[in-house]
Amino acid sequence: MNTERASALLLVAMYQRLNGVAGTEVEVNELPGWEDLGDERLLTLTAHLEQAGMAASGPKASGMSWCLSPAGVVRAENLLEQRNRPVIRYDTALNGLITAATDKFPKHRLEVQNFLSSEHAQILDDVLTLDEIFSAIEYLENEQLVRVERDASRPTAITLTPLGRKCGWNSNVDVQGFLAGQQPVGIQTSWSVEVYGGANQIGPGNVQNNNFGLNAEQVMKLVREVKGLVPSMDVPEPVRERITEDVEALEREAEREEPQSARMRRLIEGLRESLDPSKATTVGAATTLAQSIMSILA
């Protein structure tokens, strides 16, 4: 398990043990399921969280005493919320299946049962359901990324096609972004969002795609609009935090030397979902921002 994924899981474990209270100490080596990981590995993960501003060390000399920061509490709540979002679970299934099959070199044949027991089938501490996995397999088959073996209509194994191998050989697998890059200019595709964003684990998004017609100037204009209007919107605090997180990620991407259009589009789609005027009390601001987003995505 890589450091990004493990640190996200540890952050959530700390949050659950502390009941979401920032500043309270917990001995990370006494958390259920983390006792046998070893102090050296735990120190690596807590240092990773500290560097990201999510945790702070406590006063005990053992070095195993840590507290969540307010930002860590917000991040853990965001991770737990996103774990249950259908679009994120679907994206995780797509990317996980392609990644796991790519690892089965050289045949690239993956049995569904083996996938279920792998970390690729997990979002935080939750395993994808069979229905979610079967739905993702059907999509990958329709897009000609995999060939499917079935037993009484139930998928039992997949094998990557040449196109699927090309998708899987990217350093960060992003099925939706990859497929968008295969399509002619002007054709819109479905979208996906990152599960963990910033400093955490399953992050699709290193595929450069210029077919969306986005540019950094348009995106920065939207960023300024969102920052200016969101403080006045009467929305639940978790929604406001998600919007703030997405717009900050969008701003960082737009300011990069080579912004990734596919990733900007996914973040903008996430903003569109969060800024749905029908869910906001201050409809005027939400409608204004929704119109701006639609003009960019059109």
Side-chain angles (χ1 to χ4, degrees), residues 128-195:
L128 297 167
T129 67
L130 275 175
D131 284 344
E132 289 170 327
I133 293 170
F134 290 163
S135 176
I137 289 174
E138 182 180 3
Y139 177 84
L140 294 172
E141 183 180 32
N142 290 339
E143 295 294 338
Q144 301 180 1
L145 295 176
V146 302
R147 293 188 296 274
V148 182
E149 299 171 35
R150 290 182 169 86
D151 180 12
S153 78
R154 291 170 63 90
T156 57
I158 63 172
T159 302
L160 296 183
T161 64
L163 186 63
R165 294 184 186 192
K166 185 177 179 182
C167 176
W169 288 339
N170 286 293
S171 58
N172 288 286
V173 175
D174 177 9
V175 171
Q176 300 282 22
F178 174 80
L179 289 173
Q182 303 302 307
Q183 297 181 1
V185 175
I187 293 182
Q188 295 189 1
T189 186
S190 53
W191 56 281
S192 59
V193 230
E194 292 189 4
V195 179

Side-chain angles (χ1 to χ4, degrees), residues 4 19 45 55 78 91 94 109 181 195 221 260-261 278 292:
E4 305 291 357
N19 295 318
L45 299 180
N78 182 259
D91 198 49
L94 293 176
R109 180 181 180 275
V195 179
K221 180 180 178 182
Q260 298 171 15
S261 294
S278 66
S292 297

